Amino acid sequence: MKLVHTLEDLRTTLRPFNSPSLVPTMGNLHAGHLDLVRTAKPLGDVTVASIFVNRLQFAPHEDFDTYPRTLQADCDKLAAEGCDVVFAPSEKEMYPEPQGFKVQPPTELADILEGHFRPGFFTGVCTVVMKLFQSVFSEAKGPRHAIFGQKDYQQQMVIRGMVRQFALPITIVSGDTRRAPDGLALSSRNGYLSESERTEAVQLSLALRALGRDALAAADGLARHLPALEASAMADLAARGWQPDYLTVRRRADLQAPQAGDSLVVLGAARLGNTRLIDNFEV
């Protein structure tokens, strides 16, 4: 496995290959990330993982400065999975000048749910992903694949829309959410949880599953009953000491309010102590 830090070295390394497969990450890798690498390997002739903590997607009060940077451990894990190239640029390499040009996703998708509670988040995500795509795929001659985890459901939908509307010759592949035995979705931020918080953390996924079951049971009355179901789920989680941002049921196609007969996804984000967790389930 080769570790590169500059765009020039990355492009030189990839030039002999035709079909890169990319797994974008911010590092501090867990088993879910490694699943994505295993998904990526058969899709191309070279597997690339990027490790970059992207300042543009962090609000000033968020954990950019304290986000775990574990490059050596990450490289060891990636090498063991057969990753071919790790691209770990510095901030100066990715943003050699202030990033005035940014990718602005449509408000109806990017300013709801995560985008409502983290203003500008998806602009930062789209901008860095576009730069990574240009860096990895610019000289590719064959099929190009990028693999994203389904845990970040809205983010994946935003990126798919960006690829479609910019006519990028890239196939977005979804990787299933990897869970701990108790059902907690794996996340790089789970390491922030105390022992007692880790025991409690599974309640978010349990609450979302229960909300999904209630939504399905509402059947033709879904639109009428859903606000009360969502409010009850939020209140139950808050009573356990959480600070919920949203627990909601949306239409899978566009994350808008569902009607009876729609395919549904249940999404939630809530803070437990100082750690904000997100999860989702298709129902």
Side-chain angles (χ1 to χ4, degrees):
M1 187 184 77
K2 186 169 184 179
L3 172 63
V4 297
H5 297 286
T6 69
L7 292 171
E8 182 179 359
D9 285 348
L10 175 68
R11 287 173 172 149
T12 298
T13 299
L14 295 181
R15 196 161 288 133
F17 300 97
N18 292 318
S19 298
S21 295
L22 170 65
V23 180
T25 84
M26 292 204 304
N28 194 28
L29 303 183
H30 52 69
H33 293 112
L34 303 181
D35 284 348
L36 301 182
V37 173
R38 285 189 283 271
T39 298
K41 281 191 66 63
L43 298 177
D45 57 3
V46 60
T47 304
V48 183
S50 64
I51 297 176
F52 179 66
V53 184
N54 176 40
R55 184 186 296 272
L56 295 187
Q57 67 194 68
F58 287 77
H61 66 280
E62 293 182 332
D63 58 339
F64 173 79
D65 290 328
T66 59
Y67 193 88
R69 279 118 167 129
T70 55
L71 180 60
Q72 185 56 59
D74 292 341
C75 286
D76 292 343
K77 293 174 183 177
L78 291 168
E81 294 299 333
C83 184
D84 300 303
V85 180
V86 174
F87 177 45
S90 67
E91 191 169 14
K92 185 67 174 176
E93 182 69 17
M94 283 297 284
Y95 302 120
E97 58 186 85
Q99 188 68 31
F101 290 91
K102 297 177 181 178
V103 179
Q104 179 64 57
T107 58
E108 63 270 18
L109 180 58
D111 289 357
I112 61 173
L113 304 176
E114 283 298 286
H116 174 76
F117 288 95
R118 303 181 70 187
F121 172 70
F122 288 115
T123 297
V125 167
C126 287
T127 301
V128 75
V129 169
M130 181 69 86
K131 292 195 82 165
L132 288 170
F133 285 174
Q134 295 296 334
S135 302
V136 171
F137 298 125
S138 61
E139 298 185 36
K141 303 173 186 66
R144 306 154 176 89
H145 294 85
I147 297 83
F148 293 85
Q150 192 169 7
K151 186 178 78 70
D152 299 305
Y153 196 96
Q154 185 179 6
Q155 173 177 289
Q156 189 179 121
M157 186 171 286
V158 168
I159 291 169
R160 286 182 184 277
M162 180 183 76
V163 167
R164 183 179 65 251
Q165 291 200 3
F166 281 107
L168 301 179
I170 299 165
T171 300
I172 303 300
V173 178
S174 178
D176 292 339
T177 301
R178 180 75 174 264
R179 297 183 180 277
D182 65 355
L184 176 67
L186 298 191
S187 168
S188 295
R189 289 187 169 96
N190 287 353
Y192 294 161
L193 297 167
S194 68
E195 185 176 349
S196 62
E197 289 170 344
R198 172 60 188 84
T199 301
E200 172 66 20
V202 70
Q203 294 298 323
L204 176 59
S205 64
L206 294 176
L208 291 174
R209 287 191 182 277
L211 177 57
R213 289 193 296 269
D214 291 343
L216 290 177
D220 290 345
L222 177 62
R224 184 171 68 257
H225 293 296
L226 188 55
L229 294 176
E230 292 175 343
S232 177
M234 295 264 288
D236 289 347
L237 205 58
R240 301 184 65 92
W242 292 70
Q243 301 171 56
D245 287 340
Y246 58 88
L247 277 74
T248 187
V249 180
R250 297 296 176 101
R251 184 166 53 218
R252 287 188 206 173
D254 56 10
L255 297 185
Q256 300 304 305
Q259 301 295 321
D262 287 339
S263 296
L264 305 177
V265 59
V266 189
L267 307 104
R271 188 172 296 278
L272 181 60
N274 294 320
T275 306
R276 187 173 184 273
L277 303 176
I278 69 169
D279 204 351
N280 66 80
F281 294 96
E282 292 184 341
V283 295

